[in-house]
Amino acid sequence: MLQIRDNVPLAPLTTFKVGGPAKKYVCVSTVEELQEALALAKKGGWKFFILGGGSNLIVSSKGFDGLVIHLNISTIITANRKIIAGAGAVLADVVKVAIEEGFSGLEWAGGLPGTFGGAIRGNAGAFGGEMKDNIESVSSIDPDTGELSTYSNAACNFEYRGSRFKKNEGEIIVTGTIKLSKGNPETIKAGVDSHIEYRHKNHPMEFPCAGSVFKNVPIEDFPREYLKPFETFIKNDPFPIIPVARIILAAGLSGTKQGGAELSTKHCNFIINKDKAKPEDITALIRQIRQAVMKKYGIELEIEQELVGF
């Protein structure tokens, strides 16, 4: 029988280290436990939220007025150059297994925080790679029926930082299968390590944060009249984009603060919890950045992070 806990602090379970409590909380480690938790939520009339690694979300000071289901389905198995992992597996552990097995193709994910399921849901990407490049199939649960379904890569409807699972909040990822190629473990490790080193050098890893705040801006969405100064920064991610950090920097926003939240001077697409920030400090800073960029360039920045309890 699952143990439902009351008023559990969520701040320690997020990488931003902010937010109020979950009115009700449960941690699940199997598909059966997840199905049981969903049935309890339905019976109790509670809204629910699926929590993974807490690396891409901002929880309000009010917390979440419902059941937080902390997904800890984290088994990782390998076979035939495939890795089958639970949605709650730490992405770094999946990358580690790929190195150990000599499976190449996941090097781009070196240093990315969060869980495997979260990376699938948001089609995480870096250094020209994305989850959609690796995924063979994904299994998810319908919370209304408790039924398990499996989707091919094509059926996952992957898009830039999104998928069917992000658009359809009802589908809960439980496992994913990725197919990789055979490679040299030392070469694979060197590739992963270089990406981890890059992140530590260029990202404000020393402060609590939740990764990139805004999505990069596709060239097609960038106003032609402002493009010229940014042309040298165009890169594929995986299609031609202007890095949003360059846009924010050019808008003169580096180091901008709201309460204890600060736009990092190390990387302008990271907001950091510099000094006991409140969730509302972070969201106020997000609004300020969006308004300033809209005023200067006519671009509406799209937020990557998920807001919970606002």
PDB file of all heavy atoms in Angstrom, residues 133-154:
ATOM      1  N   ASP A 133      16.745  11.892 -31.939  1.00  0.00           N
ATOM      2  CA  ASP A 133      17.747  11.210 -32.761  1.00  0.00           C
ATOM      3  C   ASP A 133      18.049   9.808 -32.240  1.00  0.00           C
ATOM      4  O   ASP A 133      18.574   8.968 -32.983  1.00  0.00           O
ATOM      5  CB  ASP A 133      19.055  12.016 -32.779  1.00  0.00           C
ATOM      6  CG  ASP A 133      18.860  13.420 -33.324  1.00  0.00           C
ATOM      7  OD1 ASP A 133      17.970  13.608 -34.164  1.00  0.00           O
ATOM      8  OD2 ASP A 133      19.613  14.319 -32.888  1.00  0.00           O
ATOM      9  N   ASN A 134      17.753   9.551 -30.975  1.00  0.00           N
ATOM     10  CA  ASN A 134      18.115   8.297 -30.331  1.00  0.00           C
ATOM     11  C   ASN A 134      16.940   7.381 -30.000  1.00  0.00           C
ATOM     12  O   ASN A 134      17.091   6.166 -29.912  1.00  0.00           O
ATOM     13  CB  ASN A 134      18.883   8.571 -29.027  1.00  0.00           C
ATOM     14  CG  ASN A 134      20.099   9.455 -29.217  1.00  0.00           C
ATOM     15  OD1 ASN A 134      20.184  10.543 -28.671  1.00  0.00           O
ATOM     16  ND2 ASN A 134      21.065   8.998 -30.007  1.00  0.00           N
ATOM     17  N   ILE A 135      15.781   7.974 -29.795  1.00  0.00           N
ATOM     18  CA  ILE A 135      14.631   7.197 -29.330  1.00  0.00           C
ATOM     19  C   ILE A 135      14.121   6.221 -30.393  1.00  0.00           C
ATOM     20  O   ILE A 135      13.932   6.580 -31.549  1.00  0.00           O
ATOM     21  CB  ILE A 135      13.479   8.133 -28.898  1.00  0.00           C
ATOM     22  CG1 ILE A 135      13.806   8.822 -27.577  1.00  0.00           C
ATOM     23  CG2 ILE A 135      12.161   7.386 -28.801  1.00  0.00           C
ATOM     24  CD1 ILE A 135      13.837   7.883 -26.377  1.00  0.00           C
ATOM     25  N   GLU A 136      13.919   4.988 -29.965  1.00  0.00           N
ATOM     26  CA  GLU A 136      13.279   3.987 -30.819  1.00  0.00           C
ATOM     27  C   GLU A 136      11.792   3.879 -30.476  1.00  0.00           C
ATOM     28  O   GLU A 136      10.944   3.840 -31.365  1.00  0.00           O
ATOM     29  CB  GLU A 136      13.939   2.629 -30.636  1.00  0.00           C
ATOM     30  CG  GLU A 136      13.332   1.546 -31.520  1.00  0.00           C
ATOM     31  CD  GLU A 136      14.073   0.220 -31.413  1.00  0.00           C
ATOM     32  OE1 GLU A 136      13.777  -0.548 -30.469  1.00  0.00           O
ATOM     33  OE2 GLU A 136      14.936  -0.038 -32.267  1.00  0.00           O
ATOM     34  N   SER A 137      11.494   3.824 -29.161  1.00  0.00           N
ATOM     35  CA  SER A 137      10.097   3.750 -28.736  1.00  0.00           C
ATOM     36  C   SER A 137       9.954   4.276 -27.312  1.00  0.00           C
ATOM     37  O   SER A 137      10.927   4.341 -26.557  1.00  0.00           O
ATOM     38  CB  SER A 137       9.579   2.308 -28.807  1.00  0.00           C
ATOM     39  OG  SER A 137      10.301   1.479 -27.913  1.00  0.00           O
ATOM     40  N   VAL A 138       8.727   4.661 -26.970  1.00  0.00           N
ATOM     41  CA  VAL A 138       8.419   5.185 -25.637  1.00  0.00           C
ATOM     42  C   VAL A 138       7.113   4.570 -25.165  1.00  0.00           C
ATOM     43  O   VAL A 138       6.145   4.474 -25.930  1.00  0.00           O
ATOM     44  CB  VAL A 138       8.277   6.731 -25.660  1.00  0.00           C
ATOM     45  CG1 VAL A 138       7.884   7.251 -24.282  1.00  0.00           C
ATOM     46  CG2 VAL A 138       9.567   7.388 -26.132  1.00  0.00           C
ATOM     47  N   SER A 139       7.085   4.155 -23.897  1.00  0.00           N
ATOM     48  CA  SER A 139       5.861   3.622 -23.301  1.00  0.00           C
ATOM     49  C   SER A 139       5.311   4.622 -22.295  1.00  0.00           C
ATOM     50  O   SER A 139       6.065   5.236 -21.538  1.00  0.00           O
ATOM     51  CB  SER A 139       6.131   2.284 -22.605  1.00  0.00           C
ATOM     52  OG  SER A 139       6.502   1.298 -23.554  1.00  0.00           O
ATOM     53  N   SER A 140       3.998   4.789 -22.307  1.00  0.00           N
ATOM     54  CA  SER A 140       3.375   5.745 -21.397  1.00  0.00           C
ATOM     55  C   SER A 140       2.059   5.197 -20.877  1.00  0.00           C
ATOM     56  O   SER A 140       1.496   4.239 -21.430  1.00  0.00           O
ATOM     57  CB  SER A 140       3.136   7.084 -22.101  1.00  0.00           C
ATOM     58  OG  SER A 140       2.158   6.938 -23.121  1.00  0.00           O
ATOM     59  N   ILE A 141       1.570   5.841 -19.818  1.00  0.00           N
ATOM     60  CA  ILE A 141       0.311   5.426 -19.194  1.00  0.00           C
ATOM     61  C   ILE A 141      -0.736   6.515 -19.356  1.00  0.00           C
ATOM     62  O   ILE A 141      -0.453   7.700 -19.196  1.00  0.00           O
ATOM     63  CB  ILE A 141       0.531   5.121 -17.689  1.00  0.00           C
ATOM     64  CG1 ILE A 141       1.120   3.716 -17.526  1.00  0.00           C
ATOM     65  CG2 ILE A 141      -0.758   5.242 -16.897  1.00  0.00           C
ATOM     66  CD1 ILE A 141       1.322   3.299 -16.097  1.00  0.00           C
ATOM     67  N   ASP A 142      -1.948   6.099 -19.665  1.00  0.00           N
ATOM     68  CA  ASP A 142      -3.098   6.998 -19.688  1.00  0.00           C
ATOM     69  C   ASP A 142      -3.635   7.063 -18.256  1.00  0.00           C
ATOM     70  O   ASP A 142      -4.068   6.045 -17.715  1.00  0.00           O
ATOM     71  CB  ASP A 142      -4.166   6.442 -20.636  1.00  0.00           C
ATOM     72  CG  ASP A 142      -5.377   7.342 -20.755  1.00  0.00           C
ATOM     73  OD1 ASP A 142      -5.761   7.969 -19.735  1.00  0.00           O
ATOM     74  OD2 ASP A 142      -5.941   7.437 -21.848  1.00  0.00           O
ATOM     75  N   PRO A 143      -3.596   8.245 -17.618  1.00  0.00           N
ATOM     76  CA  PRO A 143      -3.995   8.323 -16.208  1.00  0.00           C
ATOM     77  C   PRO A 143      -5.475   8.033 -15.968  1.00  0.00           C
ATOM     78  O   PRO A 143      -5.857   7.650 -14.858  1.00  0.00           O
ATOM     79  CB  PRO A 143      -3.651   9.770 -15.829  1.00  0.00           C
ATOM     80  CG  PRO A 143      -3.672  10.512 -17.108  1.00  0.00           C
ATOM     81  CD  PRO A 143      -3.177   9.552 -18.142  1.00  0.00           C
ATOM     82  N   ASP A 144      -6.300   8.207 -16.986  1.00  0.00           N
ATOM     83  CA  ASP A 144      -7.734   7.951 -16.810  1.00  0.00           C
ATOM     84  C   ASP A 144      -8.057   6.465 -16.786  1.00  0.00           C
ATOM     85  O   ASP A 144      -8.905   6.010 -16.030  1.00  0.00           O
ATOM     86  CB  ASP A 144      -8.528   8.630 -17.923  1.00  0.00           C
ATOM     87  CG  ASP A 144      -8.472  10.148 -17.821  1.00  0.00           C
ATOM     88  OD1 ASP A 144      -8.447  10.670 -16.684  1.00  0.00           O
ATOM     89  OD2 ASP A 144      -8.443  10.809 -18.869  1.00  0.00           O
ATOM     90  N   THR A 145      -7.357   5.719 -17.627  1.00  0.00           N
ATOM     91  CA  THR A 145      -7.650   4.288 -17.731  1.00  0.00           C
ATOM     92  C   THR A 145      -6.584   3.405 -17.080  1.00  0.00           C
ATOM     93  O   THR A 145      -6.840   2.239 -16.788  1.00  0.00           O
ATOM     94  CB  THR A 145      -7.762   3.877 -19.216  1.00  0.00           C
ATOM     95  OG1 THR A 145      -6.489   4.063 -19.849  1.00  0.00           O
ATOM     96  CG2 THR A 145      -8.802   4.721 -19.920  1.00  0.00           C
ATOM     97  N   GLY A 146      -5.382   3.961 -16.875  1.00  0.00           N
ATOM     98  CA  GLY A 146      -4.276   3.169 -16.337  1.00  0.00           C
ATOM     99  C   GLY A 146      -3.641   2.268 -17.370  1.00  0.00           C
ATOM    100  O   GLY A 146      -2.762   1.471 -17.052  1.00  0.00           O
ATOM    101  N   GLU A 147      -4.073   2.396 -18.634  1.00  0.00           N
ATOM    102  CA  GLU A 147      -3.563   1.528 -19.688  1.00  0.00           C
ATOM    103  C   GLU A 147      -2.194   1.985 -20.178  1.00  0.00           C
ATOM    104  O   GLU A 147      -1.903   3.183 -20.270  1.00  0.00           O
ATOM    105  CB  GLU A 147      -4.542   1.495 -20.859  1.00  0.00           C
ATOM    106  CG  GLU A 147      -5.854   0.799 -20.538  1.00  0.00           C
ATOM    107  CD  GLU A 147      -6.788   0.742 -21.742  1.00  0.00           C
ATOM    108  OE1 GLU A 147      -6.390   1.258 -22.813  1.00  0.00           O
ATOM    109  OE2 GLU A 147      -7.894   0.193 -21.596  1.00  0.00           O
ATOM    110  N   LEU A 148      -1.374   0.998 -20.524  1.00  0.00           N
ATOM    111  CA  LEU A 148      -0.022   1.231 -21.005  1.00  0.00           C
ATOM    112  C   LEU A 148      -0.004   1.162 -22.527  1.00  0.00           C
ATOM    113  O   LEU A 148      -0.541   0.233 -23.116  1.00  0.00           O
ATOM    114  CB  LEU A 148       0.922   0.175 -20.419  1.00  0.00           C
ATOM    115  CG  LEU A 148       2.423   0.359 -20.581  1.00  0.00           C
ATOM    116  CD1 LEU A 148       2.907   1.570 -19.799  1.00  0.00           C
ATOM    117  CD2 LEU A 148       3.159  -0.893 -20.110  1.00  0.00           C
ATOM    118  N   SER A 149       0.602   2.164 -23.162  1.00  0.00           N
ATOM    119  CA  SER A 149       0.728   2.190 -24.621  1.00  0.00           C
ATOM    120  C   SER A 149       2.177   2.410 -24.999  1.00  0.00           C
ATOM    121  O   SER A 149       2.937   3.028 -24.248  1.00  0.00           O
ATOM    122  CB  SER A 149      -0.126   3.320 -25.225  1.00  0.00           C
ATOM    123  OG  SER A 149      -1.491   3.141 -24.932  1.00  0.00           O
ATOM    124  N   THR A 150       2.551   1.895 -26.171  1.00  0.00           N
ATOM    125  CA  THR A 150       3.914   2.073 -26.660  1.00  0.00           C
ATOM    126  C   THR A 150       3.873   2.787 -28.010  1.00  0.00           C
ATOM    127  O   THR A 150       3.087   2.419 -28.886  1.00  0.00           O
ATOM    128  CB  THR A 150       4.644   0.724 -26.800  1.00  0.00           C
ATOM    129  OG1 THR A 150       4.703   0.096 -25.515  1.00  0.00           O
ATOM    130  CG2 THR A 150       6.069   0.932 -27.302  1.00  0.00           C
ATOM    131  N   TYR A 151       4.734   3.804 -28.151  1.00  0.00           N
ATOM    132  CA  TYR A 151       4.753   4.628 -29.360  1.00  0.00           C
ATOM    133  C   TYR A 151       6.100   4.525 -30.054  1.00  0.00           C
ATOM    134  O   TYR A 151       7.157   4.551 -29.398  1.00  0.00           O
ATOM    135  CB  TYR A 151       4.481   6.093 -29.006  1.00  0.00           C
ATOM    136  CG  TYR A 151       3.132   6.323 -28.375  1.00  0.00           C
ATOM    137  CD1 TYR A 151       2.987   6.313 -26.993  1.00  0.00           C
ATOM    138  CD2 TYR A 151       2.008   6.547 -29.155  1.00  0.00           C
ATOM    139  CE1 TYR A 151       1.752   6.522 -26.404  1.00  0.00           C
ATOM    140  CE2 TYR A 151       0.769   6.761 -28.578  1.00  0.00           C
ATOM    141  CZ  TYR A 151       0.645   6.742 -27.199  1.00  0.00           C
ATOM    142  OH  TYR A 151      -0.579   6.947 -26.616  1.00  0.00           O
ATOM    143  N   SER A 152       6.078   4.454 -31.368  1.00  0.00           N
ATOM    144  CA  SER A 152       7.303   4.493 -32.152  1.00  0.00           C
ATOM    145  C   SER A 152       7.870   5.902 -32.121  1.00  0.00           C
ATOM    146  O   SER A 152       7.197   6.851 -31.687  1.00  0.00           O
ATOM    147  CB  SER A 152       7.012   4.092 -33.603  1.00  0.00           C
ATOM    148  OG  SER A 152       6.191   5.085 -34.216  1.00  0.00           O
ATOM    149  N   ASN A 153       9.077   6.068 -32.621  1.00  0.00           N
ATOM    150  CA  ASN A 153       9.681   7.393 -32.693  1.00  0.00           C
ATOM    151  C   ASN A 153       8.761   8.363 -33.435  1.00  0.00           C
ATOM    152  O   ASN A 153       8.489   9.473 -32.963  1.00  0.00           O
ATOM    153  CB  ASN A 153      11.044   7.305 -33.384  1.00  0.00           C
ATOM    154  CG  ASN A 153      11.763   8.639 -33.462  1.00  0.00           C
ATOM    155  OD1 ASN A 153      11.294   9.585 -34.062  1.00  0.00           O
ATOM    156  ND2 ASN A 153      12.930   8.721 -32.847  1.00  0.00           N
ATOM    157  N   ALA A 154       8.266   7.939 -34.587  1.00  0.00           N
ATOM    158  CA  ALA A 154       7.414   8.816 -35.394  1.00  0.00           C
ATOM    159  C   ALA A 154       6.145   9.205 -34.655  1.00  0.00           C
ATOM    160  O   ALA A 154       5.679  10.344 -34.743  1.00  0.00           O
ATOM    161  CB  ALA A 154       7.070   8.145 -36.718  1.00  0.00           C
TER     162      ALA A 154
END
